[in-house]
Amino acid sequence: MALLTCHFFSEALGVSTAVTVLLPESARGQIGMGGVETAGPPPVLYLLHGLSDDETIWLRRTSIERYVAERGIAVVMPRAGRSFYADEAHGSAYWTFLSEELPRAVQHFFRVSDRREDTFVAGLSMGGYGAFKWALRQPWRFAAAASLSGALVVGGDRARYLRDELTPHVWDGADPAGTDDDLLALLDRADPAALPALYATCGAQDELVDAQHAFVERAASRGVAVDAHVHPGGHDWAYWDEHVQRVLDWLPVGR
């Protein structure tokens, strides 16, 4: 795999930002590391970080480079601060950056597929929320979306700690319930036939497991299928390093 750190100016954010990118190569002569040839531009996975991290974290805490090498998948890991992938009330327009500017930049800078059937999104914790929000708001962009330990409920009393203690700058203390930042509301408005495939996994000992259950139950009530899993584990990198491999196995690459 080729590893790149791409710094560029973001009009949406008004500052320079960075993405970490993995691009496939065959690497036949590299000891202990394989690769695959791709006939055309490779499929691409947008991989989103959690609340306390940045665009480097997946590479630092997991073996994501090794896992995708044998699958021939490009990976784009953007920086999003503590934004919940939203246009912040007191901050920056991270939703606009993610959903509009970043895909254009990726197509401009890198040779990766732009076809829906080759485009995927996944993330952990805040990034799991961001992955599902992106998939529900722009279902035409993705073939599949996955949440690992996602903070999938941000509206209502159950998620008040997110707004009051962690992210007052995002919603300015307002409750996003019913808005386009509320995944449950997005499910209510979604066309099940138009959505990408959805996968959710969470540790049984993770405090966010109830949020996953709530999302899956609402999805089922709206006729939206979610391939949902709960396994022993907590909100930690041991769980995410193991289960991102299961996500990669699940992605419909080449199908």
Side-chain angles (χ1 to χ4, degrees), residues 1-249:
M1 300 293 288
L3 168 63
L4 302 90
T5 300
C6 179
H7 296 268
F8 64 99
F9 181 79
S10 165
E11 296 287 352
L13 302 177
V15 297
S16 291
T17 189
V19 294
T20 298
V21 180
L22 293 168
L23 297 175
E25 62 173 339
S26 59
R28 291 192 183 95
Q30 189 171 21
I31 296 172
M33 188 77 167
V36 297
E37 296 281 359
T38 56
V44 59
L45 168 65
Y46 290 89
L47 191 56
L48 309 183
H49 67 74
L51 185 72
S52 64
D53 299 314
D54 63 16
E55 74 280 3
T56 69
I57 199 66
W58 278 101
L59 201 67
R60 292 163 55 203
R61 299 285 190 265
T62 75
S63 290
I64 187 66
E65 179 179 3
R66 184 162 53 88
Y67 302 151
V68 298
E70 62 192 34
R71 295 171 169 88
I73 303 172
V75 184
V76 175
M77 295 165 276
R79 177 190 301 172
R82 296 168 64 87
S83 68
F84 267 75
Y85 299 91
D87 285 346
E88 298 172 309
H90 303 289
S92 299
Y94 278 104
W95 168 251
T96 300
F97 166 73
L98 181 76
S99 64
E100 299 178 16
E101 190 173 28
L102 180 62
R104 290 198 303 267
V106 168
Q107 288 300 314
H108 178 71
F109 294 135
F110 308 111
R111 177 183 172 270
V112 297
S113 179
D114 63 354
R115 303 190 310 164
R116 184 195 190 216
E117 55 265 40
D118 294 332
T119 306
F120 319 111
V121 62
L124 69 90
S125 195
M126 182 186 81
Y129 162 84
F132 274 4
K133 180 164 71 170
W134 201 359
L136 291 170
R137 289 178 65 169
Q138 295 187 341
W140 47 266
R141 190 182 292 281
F142 301 105
S147 164
L148 296 93
S149 309
L152 303 182
V153 176
V154 298
D157 289 340
R158 286 180 297 180
R160 186 170 298 281
Y161 73 97
L162 289 174
R163 301 189 299 280
D164 293 348
E165 298 181 26
L166 296 177
T167 56
H169 59 285
V170 178
W171 296 294
D172 195 23
D175 189 339
T179 73
D180 283 346
D181 285 331
D182 176 4
L183 301 189
L184 303 184
L186 292 175
L187 282 172
D188 290 342
R189 298 194 286 268
D191 175 4
L195 293 179
L198 300 177
Y199 181 104
T201 184
C202 193
Q205 290 73 46
D206 192 323
E207 65 179 4
L208 292 178
V209 70
D210 288 341
Q212 176 171 300
H213 290 324
F215 180 90
V216 172
E217 289 170 5
R218 180 66 66 88
S221 74
R222 301 302 183 227
V224 175
V226 182
D227 190 351
H229 303 267
V230 175
H231 298 278
H235 202 74
D236 55 49
W237 284 101
Y239 190 88
W240 302 322
D241 184 51
E242 176 184 351
H243 288 275
V244 73
Q245 297 174 69
R246 301 190 186 200
V247 169
L248 293 170
D249 288 338

